[in-house]
Amino acid sequence: MDRHELHELGDKERRSRPRLRIRCCTAAGCLSANSQAVLDKLKHAVAAQGLEDEVEVCGVGCLRLCCEGPLVQVDPQEVLYQKVSPEHATPIVGALLGGSAGVTQGDPKSPFFALQSSVVLDNCGFVEPERIESYIAADGYQALAHALHEMEPGEVIDEITRSGLRGRGGAGYPTGVKWSMVAKHAAARKYIVCNADEGDPGAFMNRSVLESDPHKVLEGMAIAGYAVGASHGYIYVRGEYPLAIERLKIGIKQANKMGLLGSRICSLPFDFTIDIRIGAGAFVCGEETALMASIMGERGTPKPRPPFPAETGLWGYPTLVNNVETFANVPGIIRRGAAWFAGIGTEKSKGTKVFCLTGKVKNTGLVEVPLGTSLRHIVEDIGGGCPDGKVKAVQTGGPSGGCIPEDLLDTPVDYESLTALGSIMGSGGMIVMDDKNDMVDVARFFMNFCMDESCGKCIPCRAGTVQLSRLLTKIIDGRALNEDLKRLEALCGMVKETSLCGLGQTAPNPVLSTLRFFRHEYVSRIKPPTNGRPKPKVPAASADDGVYTPF
Amino acid sequence: MAEAAKTEVIKKKAGPAHPSGDKRFKLLEVTMKRHQFRSDALIEVMHAAQELFGFLEVDLMFFIARYLKLPPSRVFGVATFYNLFSLRPKGEHTCVLCTGTACYVKGADALLDAVEKLAGIKAGETTEDGKLSLVTARCLGACGIAPAVVVDGTVKGLETPDSLVQQLKGWLPNG
């Protein structure tokens, strides 16, 4: 398929659309609230009233306001129905001709929607994820065709570098630099890997992107393949995301059939194939060296870097590993130019970031804002604040991140500001906590998570997380002395400094950040010192007391 | 004569992949063949095996090891590393509780307590009569409807201990 045919297909798809369009969310959140039945009933209702020529009913990706699902939106009237059940289908179709459907309506112009800006999610909720034509009608694969026809691989990398795009998986490494590192290695084979092993609890951005707009990620990967000279790519998806896997499979099949993936893409001498690899439930596989081990069918344990994957990756060949959201940013940058992208965000953090706003907040769901937006704006204006009680802290970055207290919510969300506060941007989970949440307990929750998910390869992480968790339990139970608090802090530093991979290096972050901002919650549970009086009878040290006995 | 030899060969080829004669082994062999018996397809093959058999029996792991030309230790090592692979049979019904952060903040621990008390088992166990398996998951990605639970493959959101106990009661003798 060449560019001309691509344009034609897009035009044809756009022309064939009737005036009225009913979009029903069929991403995992709404599906679990029975949106498939709603979609079927809507189609029936339209057929029953003989409106097939005037109304199109389509299942689309995430409509973002997950807590009010299933969501149905009607264009061009911009009516948003919330908590729709299958029985509501007939009244909704009836209301197309005038009148009210009597179904709870949301306001598509409310701050939750109006204050967001879409780059990664611009198609999300508009295109039908299981039909490539729908993506092509939204200018899909234009960027790939443009890059292949008009640009040299080096120019593509320059464009990405100039855009200032940084890795969206957490660490924020400049994407252009990573690409040029892979490109400069002359090797017989190179690989592109898309990291879709979104393991952070409380984060579902990648899942939403894959379920709502899978072709965007595929297109981004193909552009990356062209830029660095790779002809094969892998998407490593969590096994817990069956719908995302299904839609990716459909997407790859359709793109292969249309000659937009596979051999001789856009009738040019460029081949790029994509395979899916399904994870089997190991958080550590989000780490790039562990992920590559898993792709090669091994236990997902990390390896020391260097050598970096860009040099020695899959089967020893140079490999480019990027996150789903990073790849999803690529087609937009190529199509609209680096300058456009660099105009969004702050000086060092360009573009937008998708966050999953969850926890004790009124509007839970998917949020995309320019980098540099303040946390308060996200939580209070977009999220609508805490439904009952007061916001106490916001947790970002999952088990590798930290808790940011309410009085620092004016912090802009960018890579540097969050790191300065002892948290990280992470993949984009944002969990709001209110005054009922106990911060020491939250710290233990994350520590237990890291303890369970530690792969056991290096001792600081394997043994350190266990000891930290026991110390935290001791504090929560009120059995801890002042020395225990000191030991906790010392051990946090040790685990952070000496662990092999990102999991261990960041595992103490939740403890350190809660110690920094909520120290009183720890101190108030410490047993008071005895001041020279005879020591009270301390219960005999048990194995659980965080006393480190090597063997 | 040549004809007879030919049928013999075909018979041999089409013979059971496993001495038990279980057809599922044949299906698994087809999956492995699709991956050209490459050892790096191990995880893919194990996913397929678990889908066919429900869990990974020791015998099944030996079978995979032999066909992919891998030491059994490597197959066992991979099977025990990943959470999604199960070495024990699952119960008739499964209840997966999400213990991700969003669900935790919204009271997933209360749900877990309620089910553990009701069924008399801990997370990761199956009731003695094999009726119910209780599993915890690290974030199902359904944080918008936290706390989320998957009962027999259906995701349910905004659960309370009472509503969940109501759903599971029927499967338990003491329910």
Side-chain angles (χ1 to χ4, degrees):
Chain A
M1 170 163 302
D2 61 22
R3 258 186 310 175
H4 183 64
E5 286 170 319
L6 210 55
H7 273 294
E8 249 176 24
L9 195 67
D11 280 342
K12 194 177 144 212
E13 172 75 17
R14 279 190 292 267
R15 272 199 309 273
S16 70
R17 271 186 199 155
R19 193 175 59 86
L20 291 165
R21 208 165 172 236
I22 303 179
R23 294 182 280 132
C24 176
C25 175
T26 54
C30 284
L31 274 184
S32 61
N34 206 16
S35 74
Q36 187 60 47
V38 173
L39 179 67
D40 293 343
K41 285 276 178 199
L42 281 168
K43 283 184 175 161
H44 272 144
V46 168
Q49 305 205 15
L51 294 168
E52 286 119 318
D53 295 335
E54 290 152 66
V55 185
E56 183 191 17
V57 180
C58 52
V60 294
C62 188
L63 291 170
R64 303 192 192 188
L65 192 56
C66 302
C67 57
E68 299 290 344
L71 299 165
V72 171
Q73 190 153 2
V74 182
D75 299 332
Q77 287 102 321
E78 293 202 38
V79 183
L80 176 73
Y81 295 107
Q82 301 176 338
K83 295 207 187 295
V84 182
S85 71
E87 299 87 69
H88 293 146
T90 314
I92 287 176
V93 175
L96 291 174
L97 308 166
S100 161
V103 183
T104 325
Q105 285 195 15
D107 179 9
K109 292 193 177 64
S110 69
F112 180 81
F113 297 102
L115 297 175
Q116 296 198 34
S117 48
S118 297
V119 173
V120 173
L121 301 180
D122 59 352
N123 290 333
C124 176
F126 291 97
V127 304
E128 297 161 70
E130 296 181 12
R131 286 185 62 234
I132 192 170
E133 295 85 358
S134 181
Y135 179 65
I136 292 173
D139 289 335
Y141 288 103
Q142 295 284 352
L144 177 65
H146 176 76
L148 292 180
H149 282 280
E150 316 272 336
M151 296 164 95
E152 290 293 316
E155 289 173 337
V156 176
I157 296 177
D158 284 347
E159 196 75 7
I160 299 294
T161 312
R162 270 188 289 125
S163 74
L165 175 65
R166 294 170 68 177
R168 295 291 192 247
Y173 194 78
T175 307
V177 177
K178 208 181 216 178
W179 286 26
S180 58
M181 271 159 61
V182 180
K184 76 171 187 222
H185 284 284
R189 256 188 268 171
K190 288 180 190 173
Y191 292 100
I192 303 286
V193 172
C194 174
N195 183 349
D197 188 52
E198 179 177 56
D200 283 7
F204 53 92
M205 306 74 47
N206 295 351
R207 193 208 65 197
S208 302
V209 171
L210 293 174
E211 285 176 0
S212 309
D213 200 5
H215 286 286
K216 197 172 216 171
V217 181
L218 301 178
E219 186 183 0
M221 286 177 73
I223 294 170
Y226 174 69
V228 305
S231 58
H232 198 85
Y234 287 101
I235 302 189
Y236 187 88
V237 197
R238 279 183 89 189
E240 287 91 337
Y241 290 172
L243 185 66
I245 295 167
E246 186 57 33
R247 290 196 173 154
L248 276 171
K249 278 185 183 159
I250 295 171
I252 292 171
K253 209 168 157 189
Q254 291 174 342
N256 278 331
K257 206 171 161 196
M258 289 210 166
L260 294 165
L261 283 177
S263 52
R264 293 191 62 77
I265 296 174
C266 296
S267 317
L268 289 169
F270 169 63
D271 303 346
F272 193 74
T273 53
I274 296 179
D275 271 333
I276 301 175
R277 282 282 180 273
I278 300 165
F283 174 68
V284 72
C285 287
E287 202 278 341
E288 55 184 14
T289 53
L291 185 145
M292 291 190 303
S294 187
I295 289 180
M296 295 186 282
E298 292 164 22
R299 287 165 70 96
T301 50
K303 291 186 183 72
R305 294 176 300 177
F308 287 93
E311 207 180 311
T312 310
L314 285 176
W315 295 283
Y317 294 105
T319 303
L320 174 74
V321 187
N322 272 146
N323 176 265
V324 169
E325 208 183 319
T326 316
F327 282 123
N329 269 306
V330 170
I333 295 173
I334 300 297
R335 211 174 59 237
R336 302 167 82 165
W340 161 78
F341 190 82
I344 310 169
T346 66
E347 195 201 332
K348 285 187 173 165
S349 306
K350 303 290 186 196
T352 59
K353 177 83 191 79
V354 184
F355 291 103
C356 290
L357 196 58
T358 58
K360 305 273 182 68
V361 63
K362 191 167 153 270
N363 303 326
T364 59
L366 210 56
V367 173
E368 183 173 10
V369 288
L371 285 166
T373 308
S374 79
L375 275 169
R376 193 180 300 282
H377 183 68
I378 299 175
V379 173
E380 287 178 0
D381 300 339
I382 296 178
C386 237
D388 35 37
K390 194 170 151 293
V391 178
K392 180 180 185 180
V394 176
Q395 209 278 342
T396 68
S400 317
C403 297
I404 293 158
E406 200 272 339
D407 50 333
L408 290 173
L409 283 189
D410 290 311
T411 312
V413 179
D414 59 48
Y415 292 99
E416 281 74 24
S417 307
L418 289 180
T419 312
L421 288 177
S423 185
I424 58 162
M425 172 91 77
S427 50
M430 199 171 266
I431 296 130
V432 181
M433 298 177 191
D434 67 4
D435 31 24
K436 286 185 211 72
N437 289 115
D438 172 359
M439 300 318 276
V440 188
D441 195 46
V442 168
R444 182 176 61 167
F445 167 79
F446 284 116
M447 192 49 70
N448 285 344
F449 178 88
C450 291
M451 181 177 84
D452 288 344
E453 294 296 339
S454 171
C455 75
K457 179 166 174 164
C458 72
I459 297 168
C461 174
R462 183 180 66 212
T465 50
V466 177
Q467 301 303 331
L468 283 170
S469 163
R470 285 177 181 172
L471 278 169
L472 288 167
T473 304
K474 202 173 163 188
I475 293 171
I476 290 169
D477 294 350
R479 292 182 288 118
L481 302 167
N482 216 4
E483 293 84 83
D484 290 310
L485 198 57
K486 281 187 193 144
R487 190 183 288 150
L488 180 78
E489 286 184 286
L491 200 55
C492 277
M494 192 275 284
V495 173
K496 203 177 164 84
E497 294 299 321
T498 55
S499 293
L500 172 64
C501 80
L503 196 158
Q505 285 160 11
T506 56
N509 280 355
V511 181
L512 289 170
S513 78
T514 47
L515 267 172
R516 182 167 157 193
F517 298 117
F518 301 96
R519 199 177 178 89
H520 55 278
E521 293 194 20
Y522 286 84
V523 175
S524 65
R525 284 167 159 144
I526 298 291
K527 286 213 275 187
T530 49
N531 285 339
R533 272 171 283 154
K535 271 192 180 176
K537 214 174 171 191
V538 180
S542 73
D544 275 354
D545 279 358
V547 182
Y548 185 63
T549 39
F551 294 104
Chain B
M1 186 64 199
E3 196 71 359
K6 214 172 172 186
T7 11
E8 190 60 52
V9 171
I10 292 169
K11 253 188 197 161
K12 211 172 169 189
K13 270 194 180 159
H18 189 265
S20 67
D22 191 332
K23 288 227 172 67
R24 291 176 296 181
F25 284 100
K26 193 79 204 162
L27 289 172
L28 188 58
E29 198 197 329
V30 173
T31 307
M32 291 193 273
K33 198 171 176 187
R34 208 171 50 235
H35 290 283
Q36 291 138 26
F37 300 101
R38 284 172 63 120
S39 59
D40 47 39
L42 178 60
I43 294 177
E44 256 54 44
V45 171
M46 282 163 85
H47 272 301
Q50 179 150 304
E51 212 161 278
L52 284 168
F53 291 83
F55 71 108
L56 300 171
E57 227 173 333
V58 174
D59 183 46
L60 179 59
M61 286 190 277
F62 270 113
F63 177 79
I64 294 171
R66 187 160 60 88
Y67 271 79
L68 299 184
K69 297 199 177 63
L70 282 169
S73 62
R74 163 93 183 273
V75 179
F76 190 73
V78 169
T80 49
F81 185 83
Y82 293 99
N83 293 339
L84 291 188
F85 295 132
S86 169
L87 305 189
R88 259 170 274 139
K90 284 204 187 90
E92 204 178 308
H93 301 281
T94 46
C95 170
V96 184
L97 280 168
C98 179
T99 56
T101 323
C103 293
Y104 179 76
V105 168
K106 286 203 168 173
D109 45 350
L111 293 183
L112 186 61
D113 281 349
V115 181
E116 283 185 344
K117 218 163 123 197
L118 175 78
I121 50 170
K122 291 258 170 241
E125 292 176 357
T126 303
T127 50
E128 259 177 45
D129 56 2
K131 278 277 186 195
L132 179 73
S133 292
L134 176 62
V135 188
T136 55
R138 291 301 193 186
C139 198
L140 301 165
C143 312
I145 50 167
V149 178
V150 188
V151 181
D152 279 348
T154 317
V155 185
K156 294 178 174 175
L158 305 170
E159 288 290 339
T160 61
D162 285 341
S163 66
L164 185 59
V165 164
Q166 282 305 322
Q167 294 173 51
L168 304 180
K169 242 178 170 176
W171 299 330
L172 296 161
N174 56 352

